[in-house]
Amino acid sequence: MSRRFEAFLSLSVELTAFSQFDLLGTGLAERYLATLDKVVGSEIADALLAAFAALPPPEGEARIQAVRTTILGNELLGDVARALIKLWYSGTWFELSSAWTERFGPRPANITFVVSPDAYVEGLLWKAIGAHPAGAKGPGFGSWAFPPKIPAFPALDSKT
């Protein structure tokens, strides 16, 4: 695993709140990094990874605030990071806003598209809501008779 890919995976863990195990389990991490490079260019992708690498240590409120200001609040990186979050959750790259393209220039690959058929099926949103993607990964005959089981997130479960 290259350092760049490791950095991308760590950033994705932070942005999605899913573990590295879950993200690698989708089988799409390398494709998503390639998508990021293709759409915004490796220079902007590298700037996003560098901004992430410069954040304070993971523990504490300073880290959360730094992600909000340094990445999500950044004019160049914020929209890109939010598009990356949506990519992980839905399997779709959503076109960056016209305000972003007016400021930083149009990108030929910046259109809304589904990365692959697997991307829809492996979208994190299904795991987050405890459901199955329509038309794929069927839960089995008669499963409709039971209410969905939504898994508890460890961070949220600790207060109960």
Side-chain angles (χ1 to χ4, degrees), residues 23-56:
L23 299 183
L24 288 172
T26 66
L28 295 162
E30 290 176 0
R31 182 172 279 177
Y32 287 172
L33 177 56
T35 298
L36 184 64
D37 285 336
K38 175 184 165 190
V39 175
V40 299
S42 59
E43 304 82 21
I44 293 175
D46 287 343
L48 178 60
L49 297 175
F52 177 72
L55 294 176

Side-chain angles (χ1 to χ4, degrees), residues 89-144:
Y89 274 83
S90 69
T92 301
W93 177 270
F94 289 92
E95 181 177 357
L96 295 168
S97 71
S98 58
W100 190 93
T101 56
E102 286 172 13
R103 179 145 179 114
F104 303 107
R107 311 285 177 184
N110 183 30
I111 58 171
T112 299
F113 65 96
V114 177
V115 172
S116 74
D118 292 341
Y120 164 75
V121 173
E122 295 299 331
L124 298 177
L125 78 96
W126 305 116
K127 191 169 192 167
I129 65 172
H132 298 276
K137 290 189 174 183
F141 178 77
S143 62
W144 51 266

Side-chain angles (χ1 to χ4, degrees), residues 9-24:
L9 204 51
S10 295
L11 169 67
S12 296
V13 165
E14 191 101 16
L15 292 176
T16 65
F18 275 87
S19 71
Q20 183 173 332
F21 178 82
D22 288 326
L23 299 183
L24 288 172

